[in-house]
Structure formats: structure tokens, C-alpha cells
């Protein structure tokens, strides 16, 4: 979907699972969206909605638009679940530290 609103998910790439089967209705996930040129991209947290098969973008972690929502043009974008490196749990000698964004 063009703009900065919810993304309409069109279908499955061979060899991968759908958002419906992998994430489930109403659940939040990390995602990446990239246009076909690779020049415009966004990594964030969004919520999948089975009705209409949409991903609502709620928080941007990083993007080609200085960390803001990317205004994608018409055409097909690539959308997939991601696990950003700054979300990794790092185990120290004394305790664990969570880096980055906490999921809602």
C-alpha cells in the first residue's frame, strides 16, 4: 500500500510462511519493508491483522527516512519478519541486558 499507513500483504513467497500462520491475528512482530530498488526501507514493530491481511506499522526502529515512517510509492514492496540486532539479549557475567525496543 502506498503512503505511511497499514501495509496490505498480497501473498506468500515460496519457501516462507504467511504472516497469518507465522505471527497470527492481532500479534506484534518486528518487520522490514523494502522497495524493489532497495533505496527505501524501514525496520519497525507492527501488528498483523488477519481481516484484510494487513500489517499496521506502529514504531519505527530504523529507516531510510532518518528513522521515520517511509512514504512508500505505489508498486510492490518486500515485507518480512525480522529480528533487529539491537534487540538481542546480551548475557553478561552478572545478569542479562536487553538492548533496544521492548515489544508491546
Amino acid at each position: 500500500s502506498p503512503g505511511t499507513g497499514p501495509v496490505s500483504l498480497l501473498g506468500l513467497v515460496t519457501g516462507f510462511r504467511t504472516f497469518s500462520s507465522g505471527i497470527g491475528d492481532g500479534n506484534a512482530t518486528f518487520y522490514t519493508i523494502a522497495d524493489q530498488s532497495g533505496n527505501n526501507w524501514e525496520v519497525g514493530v507492527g501488528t498483523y491483522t488477519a481481516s484484510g491481511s494487513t500489517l499496521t506499522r506502529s514504531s519505527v526502529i530504523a529507516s531510510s527516512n532518518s528513522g521515520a515512517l517511509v512514504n512508500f510509492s505505489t508498486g510492490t514492496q518486500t515485507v518480512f519478519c525480522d529480528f533487529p540486532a539491537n534487540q538481542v539479549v546480551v548475557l553478561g557475567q552478572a545478569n542479562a541486558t536487553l538492548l533496544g525496543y521492548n515489544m508491546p
Side-chain angles (χ1 to χ4, degrees), residues 51-103:
S51 172
S53 191
T54 59
L55 181 68
T56 301
R57 300 145 66 185
S58 55
S59 298
V60 177
I61 296 171
S63 77
S64 59
N65 188 26
S66 301
L69 285 168
V70 173
N71 185 357
F72 288 102
S73 61
T74 57
T76 301
Q77 296 5 285
T78 301
V79 182
F80 56 92
C81 294
D82 198 356
F83 190 66
N86 67 351
Q87 306 306 307
V88 173
V89 174
V90 179
L91 298 176
Q93 290 185 11
N95 56 28
T97 303
L98 178 62
L99 306 174
Y101 183 86
N102 290 318
M103 292 291 282

